[in-house]
Structures are given as C-alpha cells and as structure tokens.
Amino acid sequence: MALFNRKNNDAPAATAAAVDPALAALTGDYAIDPAHSSIGFTVRHAMVTNVRGSFGEHEGSLKLDGSNPADSAASIDVKIASVDTGIADRDGHLVSGDFFDAEKFPLMTFRSTSAEQLGGDKYRVTGDLTIKDVTRPLAIDLEFNGSATDVYGNERVGFEGSADILRSDWGLTWNAALETGGVMVSDKVKLNFDISAIKAAAPQA
C-alpha cells in the first residue's frame, strides 16, 4: 500500500492513478504511542563492537493524507535526558556537556519537509533534525508495516526505519584516542525508528 505517490512528470494529469480507498481511509491525524514505539541508536565503540541505546521519553505526531500523500507530515520530540544504554555511568556521560549537554539542550527534534516512495512499502522521509540547537537535513528510510485496529478499538499504523548520521555534524565531537590506534567512539551513528501511531478520533459534529 503506497502512502506517498511517486511523481511522474511525464504523465499527463488525466492518466493519474485513482486513489486507493484503503489508503484514503488512513487519512487523519495520529499520535505516536511511546509505549509501543522506540527511538534509538547504534554506535561503534573502541573500533570493535557496537553500543546500542534508546530514548525512553518521546512524543510526536503524524498527519497522513491518503488522497494527497504530499500533504503528509511528521513531527517528533525526544527528551535527551531519557537516554538509556544500560550503563548508568555511560548515560550520565552522554547527557553531560561532553556530548548532548541535556541541561542546556533538553530536546532532539525532527520536523519533516517532504516524502517520496522508493518502491513497494519503502519510503524516504526528509526533514530537519535539531540537536544542541544545530539544525541539519536528515533523510530517513522507512518501511510501512501496515495498519490495524487493536483490541481497544484504536486505529494504528506502523513504520520502521533508520538513518545514518555523522554526530560531528551536530556538534557531538567528544572522543578519546586508543593506544592501538583509532578512537573510542565512531563519528558515524545509526538512528533507529520503530513507530506505532494511533489515529485521533474524528471530531463530533
């Protein structure tokens, strides 16, 4: 099911594909469900292994327009102090001034600006990622996992995907050299997204 129409500048408007009724039915505003979603990261440590972490507190919204997918949008706010890598001392270092400086810059935010279909249920959502008051463009590759009504009657949609960034582009530059060569923490970081969002109830007439 395509959420975002692939543009075909060579095709006349008269030949545009009809709107998929199932897709149109997804149109609406959604709130990301933090209890069933995760936003995390993977980073190389000491050149030999990966450290994984996640942010336990985040909120966001999706606007899906199944009839005109170009009007869809996404917004996410992540509380930096909620970072969890499973090691308290490491988490404390990450929220300190060496890294995120969470006291001064408490949020990481993403605001979408466009989206495109890559094929099938795969998409690329582009937007602005802000960390430590530095805003840079970010493209996130996502897969649409489908829609369902849960046991409580909530209409849900699901997405999962990832994006690679260089943390230094956002001012996260702390590092330490290793005696054997290389550095303690890689510059490249993979951001991971697993999102479940609940459709808002239609307003009462």
Side-chain angles (χ1 to χ4, degrees), residues 53-75:
S54 62
F55 296 93
E57 297 182 38
H58 53 81
E59 61 182 18
S61 61
L62 306 176
K63 175 190 173 185
L64 301 184
D65 190 328
S67 299
N68 184 15
D71 284 341
S72 298
S75 174

Side-chain angles (χ1 to χ4, degrees), residues 43-120:
V43 62
R44 202 76 167 165
H45 178 262
M47 310 295 290
V48 297
T49 191
N50 289 318
V51 168
R52 293 173 175 83
S54 62
F55 296 93
E57 297 182 38
H58 53 81
E59 61 182 18
S61 61
L62 306 176
K63 175 190 173 185
L64 301 184
D65 190 328
S67 299
N68 184 15
D71 284 341
S72 298
S75 174
I76 301 174
D77 293 340
V78 177
K79 187 175 180 180
I80 294 296
S82 69
V83 66
D84 182 6
T85 65
I87 303 294
D89 287 347
R90 181 165 57 207
D91 298 342
H93 192 196
L94 287 173
V95 301
S96 75
D98 283 345
F99 283 96
F100 287 108
D101 197 357
E103 185 173 348
K104 186 175 181 181
F105 306 103
L107 293 179
M108 172 173 64
T109 66
F110 177 79
R111 302 289 184 265
S112 68
T113 55
S114 65
E116 61 180 315
Q117 183 183 6
L118 302 179

